[in-house]
Amino acid sequence: MDSIATEPTAKRADGQTQIAVENPATGEVIGHVPDMTAGEVAELARSGRAAQPGWEAMGFDGRGIILRRMQRWLIDNADRVIGTICAETGKAYEDAQIAELTYGAAAFGFWADKASQYLADERVRTSSVFVKGKRLVLRYRPLGLIGVIGPWNYPLTNSFGDCIPALAAGNSVLLKPSEVTPLTSILLAEGLAACGLPDDVFAVATGRGATGAAVIDEVDMIMFTGSTATGRKVGVRAAERLIPASLELGGKDPMIVLADANIERAANHAAYYAMFNCGQTCISIERCYVEAPIYDEFVTRVTEKVNAIRQGVPAGPGSIDVGSLTFPPQVETVERHVAEARDRGAKVLTGGHRGRSTGYWFEPTVLVDVDHDMACMQEETFGPTLPIMKVDDVEQAIRLANDSQYGLGAAVFSRDLARAEAVARRVNAGVVTVNDAIINYTALELPMGGAKPGSGVGYRHGPGGIRKYCRQQALLISRFHPHRDIHMHPYRARRTRLLGRLLGLLYRGRR
Ligand code: NDP
């Protein structure tokens, strides 16, 4: 990256506006990227469109070779990739290794293997009497140019990750990463080029919200991951252009702990998945409902575990457990939620403060005696906090878990699997795990998406996770083709009556 002034935005000698990228754990500027204009985005889109037919023509096998090379490239360049992610997000080395590098490597192999299966032509059987004997086929064709707009919390997994199935389907892709974490995407573009991806099939449009809006104006479909507020704007802009939009938005995932749960397992999951990635995961545990008989013991164990977390500047494997927050304004959000809860009578059992002076920090925090209308129980905190609430029974737990504008993920803990599954089926979330959390995200065969509009529209992963990047084309092939079909002009009374009798036989139905 160029070495220029360290203000958030600066002009280079050639007049191009540059955005400074900061290490949020240290406050140090680690690079600059162009703040691309709508004109620059349009130029990338033109090149992407020109390159797409060649990429599509390579077929699943040809594309799969490059995707599998990229899988190896990620592992061969693991330290560089993890180093870049840690530097621009402030997260722990292991958070980047487990949830980003591993996801990326698995996803390249998965989509290389599955694209041909999920997008294979489907032979369709019909009940229509008019087309009996004809061949009906459903096929999937790439849409053309896909725009992917991503957030800052997982620059590889949640931003770049959605480009992989789009590419596997035969599309060109224009990725707009968060202005806060663009360096990982630029590094991965370098990897794709080194693995033989044809020029211009993949491009990174760096910039802010205006650059993202310009991407929507150019592409054939938009895949957006980010906040509910921005998702709404993206949906409106896509609707104006009549292009499809898939929106993966915010979450406020509840954990329900029933009285017969393995308390130690539940406490470990609550402490880990609330604080993992400094709480900046769309499906992190954001609130806990615990049945009264085990509440005290659960709270004691969670507090001990959270208290033992080592937070600090990431410095390689094993150096820390939890890093900094990534996005500076997030510190104010977390502080506001904790302060409001405290002012209204909640108790902070551990943490509760901003932490270090340089960088963007908030301590891992456990809150109890919370009310359900507090911001920490209703709004997405997206930080290292865990509010825990005592509930009288499972009915109250389910009611409170569902009392949210969000419905992304949820978790239920109980030794009685049948009961836990029955509870899981009543929670209104896109995914519900039993005696587990978050790990479903690694099962790329399983769809992942919001169950309520606040958490998004559409899914990633599974067959739908690649078919959304395609248009469906229906084919009807008449193998037998006489000069004229029986239903055509001229209409004859005898034939019409015959058809009437046939309709009676077909559709009068069985009693
Ligand atoms: P934002 O909505 O603020 O930003 C997301 C992306 O949209 C960024 O690249 C941003 O650019 C860009 N953007 C901003 N304004 C516009 C616009 N008008 N048109 C087009 N693009 C625009 O989200 P965050 O980056 O703050 O990410 C955190 C959020 O993401 C949380 O709510 C989290 O729950 C959600 N998320 C959801 C996931 C899911 O799978 N459901 C997964 C991961 C995160 P810039 O950053 O440059 O402003």
Side-chain angles (χ1 to χ4, degrees):
M1 294 294 123
D2 298 3
S3 164
I4 61 170
T6 57
E7 291 87 54
T9 304
K11 275 213 190 303
R12 247 183 3 191
D14 63 7
Q16 188 179 51
T17 305
Q18 299 278 299
I19 300 171
V21 182
E22 203 183 359
N23 179 332
T26 62
E28 180 199 353
V29 171
I30 53 172
H32 290 86
V33 295
D35 187 6
M36 288 190 185
T37 61
E40 287 168 304
V41 170
E43 190 50 47
L44 290 179
R46 257 192 300 280
S47 306
R49 279 190 192 289
Q52 188 272 331
W55 176 237
E56 181 182 356
M58 285 173 70
F60 293 115
D61 290 347
R63 294 195 294 273
I65 289 171
I66 290 169
L67 299 181
R68 282 193 198 88
R69 270 189 213 142
M70 187 60 188
Q71 184 178 41
R72 274 195 301 277
W73 185 93
L74 274 176
I75 301 303
D76 291 346
N77 291 273
D79 282 342
R80 216 172 139 211
V81 173
I82 292 175
T84 304
I85 295 172
C86 290
E88 66 179 353
T89 61
K91 67 176 71 181
Y93 183 97
E94 286 76 5
D95 288 352
Q97 184 196 47
I98 296 168
E100 304 236 52
L101 185 86
T102 309
Y103 178 91
F108 272 109
F110 178 83
W111 293 113
D113 289 345
K114 290 285 187 182
S116 61
Q117 179 190 326
Y118 288 160
L119 302 182
D121 282 5
E122 291 173 24
R123 184 76 184 272
V124 175
R125 290 184 174 281
T126 177
S127 60
S128 164
V129 288
F130 291 102
V131 292
K132 282 286 180 213
K134 300 177 196 281
R135 192 154 69 87
L136 309 183
V137 179
L138 167 60
R139 74 179 283 235
Y140 298 94
R141 287 210 57 198
L143 281 164
L145 178 65
I146 305 296
V148 176
I149 300 179
W152 41 260
N153 59 337
Y154 289 101
L156 196 166
T157 299
N158 283 147
S159 194
F160 181 82
D162 289 311
C163 303
I164 304 171
L167 289 169
N171 295 285
S172 285
V173 175
L174 191 46
L175 168 65
K176 163 31 198 122
S178 168
E179 88 197 44
V180 182
T181 55
L183 302 181
T184 303
S185 302
I186 292 169
L187 175 61
L188 296 173
E190 182 192 318
L192 282 170
C195 292
L197 187 80
D199 286 351
D200 302 324
V201 167
F202 176 77
V204 181
T206 52
R208 306 175 195 278
T211 309
V215 168
I216 304 169
D217 289 345
E218 295 293 338
V219 296
D220 299 313
M221 184 267 180
I222 191 79
M223 168 67 225
F224 173 83
T225 305
S227 64
T228 308
T230 310
R232 187 172 288 114
K233 288 187 207 163
V234 168
V236 167
R237 198 151 184 143
E240 277 168 0
R241 289 201 56 230
L242 296 176
I243 59 164
S246 189
L247 309 172
E248 296 290 339
L249 309 179
K252 187 74 190 170
D253 289 10
M255 179 197 246
I256 296 175
V257 189
L258 302 182
D260 68 345
N262 175 338
I263 303 178
E264 183 62 11
R265 181 170 176 85
N268 272 321
H269 275 66
Y272 183 67
Y273 287 117
M275 306 304 162
F276 179 70
N277 208 43
C278 205
Q280 303 163 111
T281 305
C282 52
I283 45 174
S284 64
I285 301 295
E286 284 243 346
R287 51 196 171 115
C288 240
Y289 304 100
V290 186
E291 279 196 298
I294 59 161
Y295 172 82
D296 288 339
E297 191 178 344
F298 178 83
V299 168
T300 304
R301 291 195 194 194
V302 169
T303 307
E304 275 170 12
K305 292 174 199 304
V306 172
N307 209 16
I309 287 173
R310 297 166 305 149
Q311 188 177 34
V313 179
S319 55
I320 54 155
D321 300 317
V322 165
S324 70
L325 288 160
T326 300
F327 185 48
Q330 211 55 42
V331 183
E332 271 85 56
T333 306
V334 180
E335 189 167 52
R336 176 170 62 79
H337 286 190
V338 172
E340 189 231 33
R342 209 184 236 146
D343 290 350
R344 294 179 53 191
K347 270 208 232 59
V348 176
L349 297 185
T350 185
H353 305 100
R354 278 179 175 236
R356 299 154 184 271
S357 52
T358 51
Y360 307 102
W361 300 89
F362 204 90
E363 296 169 344
T365 299
V366 175
L367 292 163
V368 292
D369 297 342
V370 288
D371 274 342
H372 213 249
D373 59 352
M374 290 177 179
C376 69
M377 298 302 278
Q378 290 295 331
E379 295 174 25
E380 186 179 42
T381 307
F382 224 54
T385 60
L386 184 62
I388 309 176
M389 220 174 143
K390 190 193 292 184
V391 291
D392 298 333
D393 56 27
V394 65
E395 292 304 317
Q396 189 189 12
I398 295 170
R399 186 172 53 74
L400 293 175
N402 284 335
D403 176 23
S404 174
Q405 62 162 315
Y406 298 108
L408 200 53
V412 180
F413 280 73
S414 166
R415 283 197 165 90
D416 181 340
L417 294 187
R419 185 164 172 245
E421 187 177 331
V423 172
R425 286 172 183 268
R426 291 175 61 196
V427 177
N428 198 0
V431 61
V432 189
T433 52
V434 169
N435 295 327
D436 240 311
I438 292 196
I439 210 80
N440 61 285
Y441 206 89
T442 64
L444 300 179
E445 299 79 0
L446 207 53
M448 170 75 230
K452 296 183 190 173
S455 286
V457 181
Y459 290 87
R460 59 161 64 95
H461 301 166
I466 188 164
R467 289 179 184 160
K468 69 185 178 186
Y469 296 123
C470 298
R471 71 181 92 250
Q472 296 187 359
Q473 186 181 40
L475 300 174
L476 182 149
I477 293 139
S478 286
R479 284 169 294 192
F480 310 106
H481 29 82
H483 291 314
R484 190 169 68 86
D485 283 347
I486 192 162
H487 58 274
M488 290 178 173
H489 295 152
Y491 291 150
R492 298 280 185 233
R494 191 164 159 267
R495 215 173 54 207
T496 304
R497 279 195 294 273
L498 200 69
L499 182 63
R501 278 205 292 281
L502 184 65
L503 288 177
L505 282 174
L506 278 174
Y507 300 134
R508 194 158 277 134
R510 273 162 279 173
R511 303 230 174 234

